[in-house]
Amino acid sequence: MAQKKYLQAKLTQFLREDKIQLWKPPYTDENKEVGVALKELAKKYSDKLECCENEVEKVIEEIRCKAIERGTGNENYKATGIATIEVFLPPRQKKDRKNLLKTRLDITGRELRSKIAETFGFQENYIKIFINKKQLQLGRALEEQGVTHNVKAMVLELKQSEEDVKKNSQVEEEEQNEAELKEKRIQRMKRGLEILAERAEMLDSESAPYLDIANQTGRSIKIPPSERKALMLAMGHHEKGRAFLKRKEYEIALPFLLDADKYFCECCRELLDTVDNYAVLQLDIVWCYFRLEQLDCLDDAEKKLNLAQKCFKNCYGENHQRLVHIKGNCGKEKVLFLRLYLLQGIRNYHSGNGEEARDYLSKARQLFKELYIDPSKVHSLLQLGFTAQEARLGLRACDGNVDHAATHITNRREELAKIRREEKEKKRRRLENINALKGMGYSTRAAKQALHQASGNLDVALKILLSNPYMWWFGDSGPETNNHQESPLQENVDQLVYMGFDTAVAQAALRVFRGNVQLAAQTLAHNGGSLPPDLQLAVEDSSPTPSTSPSDSAGTSSASTDEDMETEAVNEILEDIPEHEEDYLDSTLEDEEMIIAEYLSYVESIKSAAKKN
């Protein structure tokens, strides 16, 4: 299949260079049948490529038929509005010819999915459709989602087994339920990522070190709150996608990887240059399309690979100088460049660029030789109590020297332990300060915002809150901040009056702060015994509502169920996120070794292939 793609790409190049239009005479007659000149063209190109004339003629005829088919489709679209969609099926059902589907663009995504399922023999609830690297939304019209005439649509089958769809009704029902469960699982995992992104700051860095956003040294990076959630979502989706990549569940991995790409695009360019995650994601997306045998659907594969190369350069420095300066070596990161060169070689081969493909694949092979690890050396490190992952990473960082690798791993463990202790201490102090402000009656959100403005200084944060009492209203959505009272309790009013405040002012302050005596007293004392003007207006505009005791609440069971579901969703995410910060650099390179050999055999056979007539 790969060799045929190369021949198609090469012949397409020749046709463009010679400005030959196969759908016109003398290559196509008035009945749209093949013309006599096509055979002469096939001989010319077979001589040029030094390959079989019959094979070249067959491929040129396929290109001619597709051109005529495309032209007919264009005419029909102009006349009737019926668009043609090029459907790429999963490998087990894919045919040599393109799978074309006629449809109107005012139908919904669900209707298109039904049509594809019926036409190509899928169970409707078992497939996902991706167009322009976005999952098709079932409830919206195609034209609203940017679907146009001649667009490419990739079909992913969620089914893990490759067995044909069984006709037995009971089995079909079971399989449909399995597909629905898998879809619910994906949505639950995405919800878990949302929860993690919202709560990451409150988690213990020792129990969840993999949720820290750190640079190459392992130090946490300060990120504006406006971008932190987007980056957490991007990295979370990426890690989940990578987990499925490792299990070779590419059809499930791809939606997570594409969502990660979307969230990364919400982050500023400077931030993406600080960490290498974005570059690694580009490689993972192209790799996933390749393993799905759907590279034809990724029109910007070259752009993504070039972007990855540029990001690596910005992050690691020219010739990896910055990386070597920070880590002392770049051996582990060479794994990323091996995959980059391999994918660039594959893309060039599929595009008909044999020489460029050979150059990139040769670079990938050379890196593989450098990165190959003797299993006996891994075993030696295992005997010392290190993990297989630590052994591979350590050996690559130390050019295969076992003694140096053992020292490197030990030093790295100690260094990371020190960094984590320091980061844990910083987070502990931050949580203590947040809790201290919460103990004074402020909400978690208000405490966080004040501490952020005060660069973590508790005294300054308190002054900020006292100077801006309206920040108290930046409350959490818990019941304690929504407990309005028709009138403050008399004992609370008496406390404020005993402190020397006017009765009416005390009542107004307690209404503003919903009965919180401490906050009311602090604010009145800070403002000379009266409420600030903006809070006075708030008192006048507010409409108190009856308080609700916990015993009267009718949603306790439901709230508990929701919390359990959220916990389950988060745990499902955490179980797949690796604890080792360099997990993405660890690879046995078994797949890469086979693919390099396969594609090198293709490019080496281009010139050596015997001419057959």
Side-chain angles (χ1 to χ4, degrees):
M1 179 61 73
Q3 291 168 303
K4 184 176 180 181
K5 284 184 177 179
Y6 171 80
L7 184 56
Q8 289 173 331
K10 204 67 184 174
L11 290 172
T12 301
Q13 282 182 9
F14 291 161
L15 293 168
R16 287 174 179 165
E17 290 170 2
D18 296 340
K19 298 181 180 179
I20 290 175
Q21 298 176 320
L22 291 177
W23 60 93
K24 292 183 179 180
Y27 309 104
T28 299
D29 62 22
E30 58 186 10
N31 296 319
K32 296 186 178 180
E33 298 294 329
V34 59
V36 292
L38 190 136
K39 196 169 188 66
E40 296 176 7
L41 189 65
K43 185 176 187 317
K44 171 186 173 182
Y45 289 156
S46 65
D47 289 341
K48 193 172 181 179
L49 291 169
E50 298 182 353
C51 62
C52 175
E53 182 180 332
N54 289 337
E55 184 65 26
V56 170
E57 183 178 351
K58 180 181 177 182
V59 173
I60 292 177
E61 171 60 7
E62 287 182 6
I63 295 173
R64 187 191 72 86
C65 290
K66 289 172 185 175
I68 292 173
E69 201 169 25
R70 189 180 184 93
T72 303
N74 291 340
E75 293 173 2
N76 289 340
Y77 178 63
K78 290 178 182 177
T80 65
I82 303 295
T84 300
I85 293 180
E86 193 175 342
V87 181
F88 289 77
L89 303 178
R92 74 179 184 88
Q93 293 199 10
K94 189 163 59 178
K95 304 173 184 177
D96 287 341
R97 292 194 62 185
K98 292 180 182 178
N99 303 279
L100 302 180
L101 188 72
K102 307 287 185 182
T103 181
R104 299 194 66 85
L105 298 179
D106 56 359
I107 66 171
T108 64
R110 181 172 283 102
E111 290 172 300
L112 177 62
R113 186 181 69 169
S114 299
K115 185 176 289 191
I116 289 176
E118 181 180 354
T119 303
F120 301 108
F122 292 104
Q123 291 185 69
E124 184 175 342
N125 292 329
Y126 241 129
I127 60 174
K128 287 181 178 290
I129 301 166
F130 287 82
I131 297 177
N132 297 327
K133 301 189 294 298
K134 295 179 182 178
Q135 185 173 332
L136 193 68
Q137 297 181 36
L138 301 182
R140 296 178 60 197
L142 301 183
E143 53 194 0
E144 292 177 4
Q145 302 183 60
V147 179
T148 58
H149 175 56
N150 286 330
V151 78
K152 295 177 180 178
M154 181 175 69
V155 178
L156 292 186
E157 192 175 20
L158 293 181
K159 193 175 183 180
Q160 291 182 344
S161 169
E162 292 191 353
E163 297 176 359
D164 293 331
V165 178
K166 299 175 183 179
K167 295 182 179 180
N168 182 284
S169 60
Q170 183 177 355
V171 174
E172 284 185 353
E173 183 178 352
E174 291 174 357
E175 290 182 342
Q176 181 170 334
N177 290 339
E178 182 186 343
E180 291 173 354
L181 287 173
K182 188 170 289 188
E183 176 62 22
K184 288 179 180 178
R185 182 187 175 201
I186 290 174
Q187 296 305 320
R188 186 169 64 249
M189 286 186 286
K190 291 189 175 185
R191 174 57 187 149
L193 288 167
E194 287 273 358
I195 296 168
L196 276 180
E198 292 167 357
R199 302 180 182 175
E201 288 190 359
M202 302 304 293
L203 293 175
D204 186 347
S205 60
E206 186 172 80
S207 62
Y210 33 78
L211 293 179
D212 278 342
I213 301 173
N215 57 21
Q216 277 86 14
T217 66
R219 299 277 179 186
S220 295
I221 301 172
K222 288 187 177 180
I223 298 172
S226 58
E227 292 190 23
R228 183 177 179 86
K229 183 177 180 180
L231 187 59
M232 287 292 295
L233 283 169
M235 295 170 69
H237 280 82
H238 188 190
E239 286 296 343
K240 199 65 187 178
R242 286 185 62 251
F244 286 115
L245 280 181
K246 284 186 174 183
R247 295 196 286 266
K248 300 189 176 182
E249 296 181 56
Y250 304 111
E251 70 285 349
I252 302 180
L254 186 60
F256 284 100
L257 297 176
L258 294 178
D259 280 345
D261 199 24
K262 176 185 70 176
Y263 287 118
F264 267 123
C265 289
E266 296 178 12
C267 301
C268 68
R269 183 78 257 167
E270 292 77 13
L271 182 60
L272 298 183
D273 287 341
T274 308
V275 291
D276 56 9
N277 306 66
Y278 189 50
V280 176
L281 174 63
Q282 304 310 305
L283 293 185
D284 287 341
I285 290 174
V286 179
W287 181 258
C288 194
Y289 271 95
F290 169 67
R291 299 302 278 170
L292 286 166
E293 299 181 30
Q294 299 284 23
L295 266 182
D296 288 342
C297 292
L298 190 61
D299 294 328
D300 63 346
E302 180 179 11
K303 179 182 176 183
K304 286 191 172 298
L305 294 176
N306 289 340
L307 179 58
Q309 192 163 16
K310 180 181 177 183
C311 286
F312 283 139
K313 181 179 177 181
N314 292 336
C315 188
Y316 297 157
E318 191 75 39
N319 297 322
H320 309 161
Q321 294 104 322
R322 181 167 176 265
L323 187 63
V324 173
H325 176 72
I326 293 172
K327 289 190 173 183
N329 67 82
C330 60
K332 294 171 283 189
E333 281 74 13
K334 286 181 179 179
V335 168
L336 303 176
F337 288 90
L338 185 151
R339 182 165 284 188
L340 172 64
Y341 296 148
L342 173 56
L343 290 171
Q344 286 175 322
I346 292 170
R347 193 207 64 78
N348 274 283
Y349 182 77
H350 286 187
S351 300
N353 304 319
E355 290 298 323
E356 291 84 347
R358 181 184 289 105
D359 290 343
Y360 281 118
L361 291 168
S362 297
K363 285 184 179 180
R365 180 172 59 182
Q366 181 58 39
L367 275 180
F368 175 78
K369 291 178 180 178
E370 293 178 24
L371 295 169
Y372 174 76
I373 296 174
D374 184 343
S376 65
K377 294 183 178 181
V378 175
H379 181 72
S380 297
L381 290 170
L382 291 177
Q383 296 299 308
L384 296 176
F386 301 120
T387 67
Q389 184 178 65
E390 286 178 320
R392 284 190 295 268
L393 292 169
L395 287 167
R396 285 177 180 148
C398 300
D399 298 322
N401 186 299
V402 175
D403 293 334
H404 291 173
T407 302
H408 172 83
I409 297 169
T410 301
N411 291 342
R412 186 60 178 159
R413 280 183 173 182
E414 293 174 355
E415 182 184 346
L416 286 176
K418 179 183 177 183
I419 290 173
R420 285 178 179 171
R421 285 195 300 270
E422 292 172 356
E423 295 296 330
K424 182 185 178 184
E425 178 60 22
K426 284 197 294 188
K427 183 167 284 191
R428 185 192 64 78
R429 288 198 301 268
R430 174 176 167 76
L431 290 176
E432 280 185 355
N433 290 341
I434 289 173
N435 289 331
L437 292 174
K438 287 175 66 177
M440 298 177 193
Y442 295 102
S443 69
T444 301
R445 184 180 173 189
K448 282 183 178 181
Q449 181 164 337
L451 285 167
H452 177 73
Q453 292 180 23
S455 299
N457 187 301
L458 179 60
D459 293 334
V460 175
L462 183 57
K463 289 179 182 178
I464 291 172
L465 288 168
L466 290 172
S467 301
N468 303 278
Y470 65 87
M471 290 179 67
W472 183 80
W473 284 349
F474 295 167
D476 307 317
S477 57
E480 72 276 6
T481 61
N482 294 320
N483 186 20
H484 296 267
Q485 296 181 358
E486 287 187 359
S487 59
L489 296 175
Q490 187 58 44
E491 61 184 84
N492 292 342
V493 176
D494 291 343
Q495 285 187 53
L496 292 177
V497 171
Y498 180 77
M499 296 178 192
F501 300 115
D502 179 78
T503 302
V505 173
Q507 291 174 337
L510 287 169
R511 279 199 295 272
V512 168
F513 293 108
R514 297 167 189 167
N516 190 308
V517 177
Q518 188 172 9
L519 277 179
Q522 288 176 348
T523 303
L524 292 175
H526 189 75
N527 290 275
S530 61
L531 284 174
D534 52 350
L535 291 188
Q536 292 179 17
L537 290 173
V539 174
E540 296 170 5
D541 294 339
S542 63
S543 53
T545 57
S547 61
T548 305
S549 67
S551 60
D552 295 332
S553 176
T556 306
S557 176
S558 174
S560 176
T561 303
D562 289 344
E563 186 175 340
D564 291 342
M565 291 176 65
E566 287 189 353
T567 301
E568 181 184 352
V570 170
N571 289 338
E572 193 163 0
I573 295 299
L574 294 182
E575 70 184 14
D576 269 337
I577 296 181
E579 292 194 27
H580 198 292
E581 74 285 350
E582 292 184 328
D583 177 82
Y584 71 105
L585 300 175
D586 177 42
S587 172
T588 62
L589 299 180
E590 293 174 355
D591 289 344
E592 286 84 349
E593 180 184 14
M594 291 187 294
I595 296 168
I596 289 170
E598 177 187 356
Y599 273 84
L600 273 174
S601 71
Y602 296 156
V603 297
E604 293 300 334
S605 68
I606 292 173
K607 290 187 177 180
S608 61
K611 181 179 179 182
K612 297 179 182 180
N613 294 310

